[in-house]
Amino acid sequence: MITKKIALAGAAGRMGTACREALAGADDLELVACIDRVTGASPADPVATQAPWYDSATEALAKTHPDVMVDFTAPASVEANIRTALAAGVDCVVGTTGLSAATLEALAKEIPEGTCLFVAPNFAIGAVLLMQLAARAARWMPDVEIIELHHNQKKDAPSGTAIRTAELIAEAREKAGATALGAPGSESELAGYPGARGARSADIVVHSVRLPGLVAHEEVIFGAPGQTLTLRHDSLDRVSFMPGVLAACRAVTERSGLIVGLENLIEL
């Protein structure tokens, strides 16, 4: 069995901790570097990590030579981490959201031949299925709004999952020639209440909820004369993302170029 070496950026965070646990149980994946501003696990850390800790991706990649870098950091640091990994010819699995389409387009031009930059708005298989089902439903019910709900520490809104869902819905509507009946937009908001009608992504209304107690949830509501259809996915624990992360780590070394969305790496 060939073991792939993994460097994990954002290793001290909530997603990073879940990733360390998942990698510890994978026989074909070896965590060789933990990257975070926090050097080393705290005494209360529930995961006994044998891999060395580094403050920067540059030092970690130079010393450990991983096959894949997984990034669960923050919008402010992920771009620099990706550039460092690509320059070293290291494949990337990116779960950090907040990267714009323009940034991804620019990064795609920096990918060395035979190297892959994989970005997933969501690694939960159920969330990926919801997005695929939403795209199918949009062909017949083009009027739709999205509500995404996340924990109160999330640093970007709307979520990458909601943006990706809106993109897939818009593509499906255009391909099917489906035209929405439409609904009042920001012009219907009362004075003093800007944002009441949410934001727009791919011309689809998205509402973002941020509350303690939540993890990651999405609701897609379709409406048509005399009926509604609601699709909902709930991640109740970060363990829900781990099968997708591990699958991406295994698949990315066989791919090249920019790939967005877990549905492009696994069979659904």
Side-chain angles (χ1 to χ4, degrees), residues 211-229:
L211 287 171
L214 297 172
V215 178
H217 317 260
E218 182 173 84
E219 196 167 276
V220 185
I221 305 174
F222 296 88
Q227 62 180 318
T228 62
L229 169 65

Side-chain angles (χ1 to χ4, degrees), residues 7-121:
L8 176 60
R14 289 181 291 267
M15 281 297 294
T17 299
C19 283
R20 286 188 283 129
E21 288 184 327
L23 288 166
D27 294 337
D28 58 337
L29 301 171
E30 178 188 2
L31 180 61
V32 297
C34 294
I35 306 165
D36 212 298
R37 287 175 296 177
V38 179
T39 304
S42 70
D45 194 323
V47 185
T49 304
Q50 301 300 318
W53 288 72
Y54 300 93
D55 290 329
S56 72
T58 301
E59 181 184 12
L61 302 188
K63 290 187 176 180
T64 62
H65 307 289
D67 300 301
V68 179
M69 182 191 74
V70 177
D71 191 292
F72 281 105
T73 55
S77 55
V78 60
E79 184 179 347
N81 287 344
I82 292 172
R83 284 201 159 92
T84 297
L86 293 179
V90 176
D91 294 312
C92 298
V93 171
V94 180
T96 307
T97 56
L99 287 167
S100 68
T103 298
L104 285 177
E105 185 177 341
L107 289 169
K109 297 176 181 177
E110 301 179 24
I111 302 174
E113 185 176 354
T115 303
C116 183
L117 168 56
F118 172 70
V119 180

